Amino acid sequence: MVTVLDLTTGHVVTKVSLSGKPYGITISRDNSRVYISCSNGFLDVIDAASNTVMHTYTISEFTELRGVAVSPDMSKIYVADYDFTGTGSNDGIKFIDTHVGNVVSIAALHPSGLAINNSGDTLYIAGTIGKRMATRD
């Protein structure tokens, strides 16, 4: 569940039901969409005007989605996918092409947080093991 809060009044506007327990959240640069990674392998996209889920992507089974980042033009969504089974076989960054909806894996071990720069050509990846951060152009 995601709670939408009006920061001017401090009142709850609404609550939005999701596909699973929310973990990571980001908003598009034009404020039209909210992207929420869920701990059960789903990524929900909320229409910010209506506060309803407009799309759900299935990323993978037996994993826990963490950080999420979206390209400035909203054509790419990146999700940190952490394999909680202990095998690490599904760990990595998942890339979603929003035009066709396919999910592609990008290698990165034990990702946690993600951020993308304003031009959309560099992805910053925070790892959960050790003190490290990687970039991907």
Side-chain angles (χ1 to χ4, degrees):
M1 176 97 39
V2 167
T3 301
V4 180
L5 185 68
D6 181 328
L7 292 178
T8 305
T9 65
H11 293 108
V12 172
V13 174
T14 190
K15 293 184 178 187
V16 182
S17 294
L18 301 171
S19 300
K21 180 181 172 186
Y23 202 101
I25 188 168
T26 194
I27 191 163
S28 62
R29 300 225 192 271
D30 68 357
N31 297 321
S32 66
R33 296 178 183 163
V34 180
Y35 301 83
I36 302 169
S37 61
C38 297
S39 62
N40 61 349
F42 293 100
L43 175 81
D44 288 329
V45 182
I46 295 175
D47 179 307
S50 65
N51 290 318
T52 58
V53 175
M54 59 187 287
H55 194 82
T56 299
Y57 293 97
T58 303
I59 307 302
S60 61
E61 290 185 80
F62 309 114
T63 61
E64 189 173 87
L65 301 184
R66 296 196 174 187
V68 60
V70 63
S71 64
D73 65 359
M74 298 184 297
S75 67
K76 301 173 190 81
I77 306 168
Y78 299 91
V79 183
D81 191 5
Y82 184 78
D83 184 349
F84 63 80
T85 64
T87 66
S89 61
N90 289 317
D91 276 356
I93 304 301
K94 301 297 193 270
F95 156 74
I96 303 161
D97 180 337
T98 60
H99 297 298
V100 293
N102 62 331
V103 179
V104 178
S105 293
I106 300 174
L109 294 175
H110 307 293
S112 181
L114 301 176
I116 195 163
N117 68 348
N118 288 335
S119 60
D121 60 5
T122 303
L123 179 68
Y124 295 87
I125 306 159
T128 60
I129 295 181
K131 297 178 181 177
R132 66 175 182 223
M133 185 182 79
T135 60
R136 180 167 177 98
D137 291 325

